[in-house]
Amino acid sequence: MLVRKFWVRVLDLVGLTLAICLLVSPKVSAATNYYIGIVGIESRTKTINLGDYTNLDDMAKHPLAYAQDVFEDILTTDLPTVGLTTVDKTAYSKAMRTNEAEFQRVQEQMRKSIAQLDKGDTSEAVKLFDKKLDYFIYGYIANMTITHRESIASSNLAVRVDLTTRIVEASSGKVVCVVTGKGESASRGGGSRKSFKFGGDEISEECWHEALEKAINQIVEKIKKQV
């Protein structure tokens, strides 16, 4: 009899605890999800000329497009963890599957959208997406520096990227968040017979990617703290 009363009291306490949890934390069960469009990356630095430092044609020809892909990949993965569901640019995706001229046209539309977002006008950015959005996010490379590091034992190139990102409210064009990130990476190559040094005289895809990734990851972490 005592055992039965004990378990009845335990079950009553469990039920009471669950009821209190539901009352004091309604936000958990009714979390709001926002849709955000990744507009792209523009350059505010005078030159991004990877062609002088690499033999990789695609990366050297379209460094901003490469940066855009890295930007989108990381944000698409990480922003949903803070309640921001990313939306693909339909026009951009279609252009990637057509031809170079169409690709350039959409890239120009992206640059135009970013210029208008800087002025608080979202009308151009809306054209890149089919879905109604709550926010837009875009970035620009504020600085890209390529330096040559040389010592007795090694010789290589290092790239540093300074990236600024803004989140804009779609309904008003108001900037709600501004964050910056910095990333640096050095090329790592084989030995040089002429100088008997180890390192690399070209910026590899991995080097450019790593610098971008570090800068964007810093930005994501800062966004998480502000959302």
Side-chain angles (χ1 to χ4, degrees):
M1 189 69 179
L2 291 175
V3 173
R4 183 180 176 184
K5 287 183 177 180
F6 171 77
W7 284 111
V8 168
R9 290 186 65 186
V10 169
L11 291 173
D12 287 342
L13 286 172
V14 171
L16 181 61
T17 302
L18 290 173
I20 292 172
C21 288
L22 289 173
L23 286 172
V24 299
S25 54
K27 292 182 180 180
V28 175
S29 58
T32 304
N33 187 54
Y34 297 100
Y35 292 97
I36 185 168
I38 306 173
V39 177
I41 290 181
E42 182 57 288
S43 173
R44 302 291 168 85
T45 183
K46 290 182 178 179
T47 57
I48 295 183
N49 185 14
L50 297 181
D52 293 340
Y53 303 98
T54 180
N55 290 323
L56 298 174
D57 293 338
D58 290 341
M59 190 177 76
K61 190 175 181 181
H62 298 299
L64 276 175
Y66 186 93
Q68 163 79 9
D69 289 340
V70 179
F71 189 65
E72 287 198 357
D73 286 345
I74 294 176
L75 295 188
T76 300
T77 301
D78 291 349
L79 289 185
T81 63
V82 292
L84 295 171
T85 298
T86 56
V87 179
D88 292 334
K89 293 196 298 293
T90 304
Y92 183 88
S93 300
K94 289 179 180 176
M96 291 295 288
R97 297 193 297 268
T98 54
N99 54 57
E100 178 69 16
E102 182 65 10
F103 172 77
Q104 291 296 342
R105 185 190 69 78
V106 175
Q107 287 293 99
E108 180 59 33
Q109 175 65 43
M110 182 191 72
R111 287 189 286 271
K112 186 177 180 181
S113 299
I114 290 175
Q116 291 303 105
L117 286 171
D118 277 339
K119 299 176 182 179
D121 182 0
T122 63
S123 59
E124 291 298 325
V126 168
K127 297 176 182 178
L128 291 170
F129 303 87
D130 287 341
K131 188 178 181 65
K132 186 176 180 181
L133 303 173
D134 299 294
Y135 298 100
F136 294 107
I137 183 168
Y138 69 98
Y140 54 86
I141 295 175
N143 175 61
M144 190 190 80
T145 306
I146 298 172
T147 56
H148 188 260
R149 297 175 174 177
E150 188 166 356
S151 65
I152 296 175
S154 66
S155 173
N156 60 32
L157 290 170
V159 57
R160 171 176 166 167
V161 177
D162 295 350
L163 185 64
T164 297
T165 298
R166 294 181 177 180
I167 297 179
V168 174
E169 189 175 49
S171 60
S172 65
K174 180 182 178 182
V175 176
V176 297
C177 181
V178 179
V179 290
T180 60
K182 297 178 181 180
E184 186 172 351
S185 178
S187 60
R188 293 174 288 275
S192 170
R193 291 184 179 180
K194 291 183 179 180
S195 61
F196 297 99
K197 295 178 180 179
F198 290 88
D201 293 323
E202 292 182 354
I203 295 175
S204 65
E205 181 176 330
E206 291 76 16
C207 179
W208 178 230
H209 183 97
E210 185 178 43
L212 285 168
E213 188 175 45
K214 286 179 179 179
I216 298 167
N217 282 336
Q218 278 188 19
I219 284 170
V220 170
E221 291 305 311
K222 291 178 181 179
I223 289 175
K224 287 179 178 179
K225 292 179 182 178
Q226 295 193 38
V227 172

